[in-house]
Amino acid sequence: MTAIKHALQRDIFTPNDERLLSIVNVCKAGKKKRNCFLCATVTTERPVQVRVVKVKKSDKGDFYKRQMAWELRDLAEVDAKDASKENPEFDLHFEKVYRWVASSTAEKNSFISCIWKLNQRYLRKKVEFVNVSSQLLEESVPSGESQSVAGGDEDALDDYQELNAREEQDIEGMMEVCEYAISNAEAFAEKLSRELQVLDGANIHSIMASEKQVNILMQLLDEALSEVDTIEGKMSSYEEMLQSVKEQMDQISQSNRLIQISNTNNSKLLDEIQFLVNYMDLSKGHIRALQEGDLSSSKGIEACINASEALLQCMNVALRPGHEKLMAVKQQQHLFTELRDTFARRLTNHLNNVFVHQGHDQSSMLSQHMAELTLPKHNPLHRDLLRYAKLMEWLKNTQREKYEGLSRTYVDYMTRLYEREIKDFFEVAKIKMAGTAKDGKGNKFATLPRKESALKQETESLHGSSGKLTGSTSSLNKLAVQGSSSRRSQSSSLLDMGNMSASDLDVADRTKFDKIFEQVLSELEPLCLAEQDFISKFFKLQQHPTLGEVEESDGGQPPPGEYRHFIQSTEKDMVRLMMNKVFQSIETELNSLIALGDKIDSFNSLYMLVKMSHHVWTAENVDPASYLSTTLGNVLVTVKRNFDKCIVSSAHRNSM
């Protein structure tokens, strides 16, 4: 629409000295739609003439031609049809009624608003507006195009300003004094000219009369100028004096600035020295403890711990830029490095000796525990070694290689120790089980049919099936979820059913086997948990070291061989790796013991299944990812397979 407006202004209205203010695209109501444009225009010459022009596009070419024009003063009424709803129809009442349909309601409103403004400005509200919103008549239409058009109209017509009310009153008053002002304008103008000349003459006489006062004023100005010259001379002398004072003050300020810089430098130097003294000074007591401290007594260990922490703090202090170039700082860092290496070497040798001696001491006590089917307790060893836990943490942060060497040494010695203890412990358990089997061997085969019948009944009572046991380890764990009391009641119910179908000798053998197997599991469980807890605390595996920290502590060298994956693992993985190596014989011995029990009496697999399920459930409640939970879970799978074989064998015999 803007382009059309410019084209119409250029081609049609500019040649006729007219200005286009508003445009609307319309067609006649009720007829075939042949679009044309209604334009509101004003002339650029005065007096201003306002018109409504109908422009139509030529059928033969892409140009417009002026078809019809109406004077705005001939417009009697504008009917917008509906003031509350959007309706593109409107009527213009000239010599007859012209009914139009606009292309959009916005264009119609913009055109009516422009007609209303022109009516207010030039026709003194002559045109009547019907069914037009009062808001549209009072405010400008909120359309960018319409607003710009109306604004152009205002700017174009502001060149001519009408007289205001006061000016009209003054002119009317002057004309009343001169009655002939209207009838004889020349006489009125001559009178005004004469009065103006009289006023000019009076002004000139007044100026001439004030000549004396002008002379007095000029004399006063001369005196003022002489005073100004005197003051300027004094100001010049004062300025010279101030310039001298300024130079002296500049010299004093420069001296003060140099003194202030010197004081600032001295203060900063003192702060740097104080910082180095406070954070890089290790007391003689700490140095003596690191070099000669007693690592066997509690007091000496505590002194070594305090000294090692102080040394680590001194070595890790964040030096400021330039400190590393100071000779004193270099010497102090060299001293710290020597103290660290010396103390790490002393600590490593001492702990290696402790591991060796403790291993020998524990080996001498093995014979005292074998007769009662109990495993030796390592609580004294753990208690003595836990005193060095903080030193191990220090060693882990400062000398990673020595820390790993100690961990390997501990694992190697404890592996051999636990291997002997566990092997002897399981040998005693096997002897006791074999003794049970020999006592009841004469009656074993005589009661075999009744055993199989009892086994079938017990299986059906546990699983609710018709003689077949299916499931996985997770289903087996559900047997022991009810806790210790339910486990005892199940064992007693199993014994009661065995009494109904087996001899008293069979029941006694199974009860004894059940107690031996329970004793084996009860001894292994606290042993593994205690050792795992000790390894976590002693080797400080509660943290989660990252690979970057490990390589930085090792001087950028990756850990060797088997322990490379160990270093990069998380806490639980690291503990599990050490536990797997220390107790590498437990799972083998347990499987051997289970095989022996199954060989003695296949019915024993049911007892072992119940016991093992309970211990697996207990271990998973403590720590599902612990070494004990994983190992017992693997063994439970073996027990379940043996039990399944027993059920299949029993079913096969019954079918035959």
Side-chain angles (χ1 to χ4, degrees), residues 52-84:
V52 177
V53 181
K54 177 182 176 183
V55 178
K56 182 180 179 183
K57 189 173 183 181
S58 176
D59 297 333
K60 297 181 179 180
D62 190 10
F63 62 93
Y64 300 90
K65 61 181 181 179
R66 187 173 186 140
Q67 189 174 18
M68 188 179 296
W70 300 273
E71 296 291 338
L72 187 62
R73 63 175 176 269
D74 297 333
L75 180 63
E77 180 180 319
V78 176
D79 187 1
K81 296 297 183 179
D82 196 337
S84 59

Side-chain angles (χ1 to χ4, degrees), residues 473-491:
T473 305
S474 60
S475 64
L476 293 176
N477 291 338
K478 297 179 181 178
L479 297 176
V481 171
Q482 302 301 325
S484 178
S485 60
S486 63
R487 180 178 57 82
R488 294 192 185 96
S489 63
Q490 289 174 2
S491 299

Side-chain angles (χ1 to χ4, degrees), residues 279-297:
Y279 292 100
M280 294 197 69
D281 185 26
L282 196 62
S283 65
K284 294 182 179 180
H286 287 161
I287 295 175
R288 191 181 308 109
L290 292 172
Q291 293 176 342
E292 305 172 358
D294 184 10
L295 291 172
S296 59
S297 63

Side-chain angles (χ1 to χ4, degrees), residues 341-599:
D341 296 340
T342 301
F343 181 69
R345 187 166 50 253
R346 290 182 58 241
L347 178 62
T348 303
N349 295 335
H350 178 76
L351 290 178
N352 279 329
N353 294 332
V354 171
F355 295 158
V356 174
H357 291 311
Q358 292 290 349
H360 290 314
D361 294 341
Q362 291 291 330
S363 298
S364 62
M365 299 173 61
L366 287 177
S367 59
Q368 301 177 9
H369 297 273
M370 292 302 102
E372 300 179 358
L373 192 59
T374 58
L375 284 168
K377 305 300 180 184
H378 297 151
N379 293 334
L381 170 63
H382 294 166
R383 185 172 56 253
D384 293 340
L385 290 178
L386 283 177
R387 297 182 302 170
Y388 303 95
K390 290 186 178 180
L391 293 177
M392 286 297 296
E393 183 179 9
W394 175 86
L395 193 65
K396 179 181 179 181
N397 295 328
T398 57
Q399 293 284 332
R400 188 75 183 197
E401 292 181 359
K402 288 184 171 52
Y403 168 82
E404 293 171 2
L406 277 177
S407 64
R408 287 194 294 269
T409 302
Y410 175 82
V411 169
D412 292 339
Y413 277 102
M414 296 307 294
T415 298
R416 291 195 292 268
L417 176 62
Y418 277 120
E419 187 173 0
R420 291 194 299 270
E421 292 178 356
I422 292 172
K423 183 176 180 181
D424 294 340
F425 174 72
F426 275 95
E427 286 297 330
V428 174
K430 292 176 182 178
I431 292 172
K432 290 182 177 294
M433 287 184 179
T436 302
K438 290 178 181 179
D439 294 339
K441 186 174 181 180
N443 297 324
K444 177 179 178 181
F445 297 101
T447 60
L448 182 60
R450 288 179 291 173
K451 291 180 185 177
E452 294 174 351
S453 176
L455 180 62
K456 184 176 180 181
Q457 295 176 5
E458 291 159 0
T459 304
E460 292 177 352
S461 64
L462 285 174
H463 295 272
S465 65
S466 60
K468 293 183 179 180
L469 181 61
T470 59
S472 62
T473 305
S474 60
S475 64
L476 293 176
N477 291 338
K478 297 179 181 178
L479 297 176
V481 171
Q482 302 301 325
S484 178
S485 60
S486 63
R487 180 178 57 82
R488 294 192 185 96
S489 63
Q490 289 174 2
S491 299
S492 60
S493 64
L494 291 175
L495 292 176
D496 292 340
M497 287 186 289
N499 286 332
M500 291 185 294
S501 59
S503 65
D504 295 337
L505 184 58
D506 291 333
V507 174
D509 292 343
R510 294 168 183 165
T511 303
K512 188 174 182 180
F513 175 83
D514 184 55
K515 290 181 179 180
I516 294 172
F517 192 72
E518 174 66 25
Q519 181 68 16
V520 170
L521 297 179
S522 299
E523 289 292 325
L524 289 176
E525 185 172 347
L527 179 70
C528 294
L529 294 177
E531 184 63 29
Q532 181 170 336
D533 182 64
F534 167 75
I535 289 176
S536 299
K537 293 180 179 178
F538 181 70
F539 291 99
K540 291 299 178 182
L541 297 177
Q542 290 85 355
Q543 294 84 11
H544 296 269
T546 61
L547 181 58
E549 294 173 349
V550 172
E551 292 182 354
E552 183 178 357
S553 62
D554 290 340
Q557 296 296 329
E562 179 184 355
Y563 281 82
R564 182 175 301 173
H565 179 69
F566 173 79
I567 293 173
Q568 299 177 0
S569 302
T570 59
E571 171 196 350
K572 292 183 179 180
D573 294 334
M574 297 166 72
V575 173
R576 193 181 302 112
L577 286 174
M578 296 182 71
M579 290 291 293
N580 286 336
K581 193 166 184 180
V582 170
F583 293 108
Q584 59 186 357
S585 61
I586 284 184
E587 187 171 349
T588 304
E589 294 293 342
L590 272 174
N591 289 330
S592 177
L593 185 66
I594 290 170
L596 177 62
D598 187 64
K599 183 177 180 181

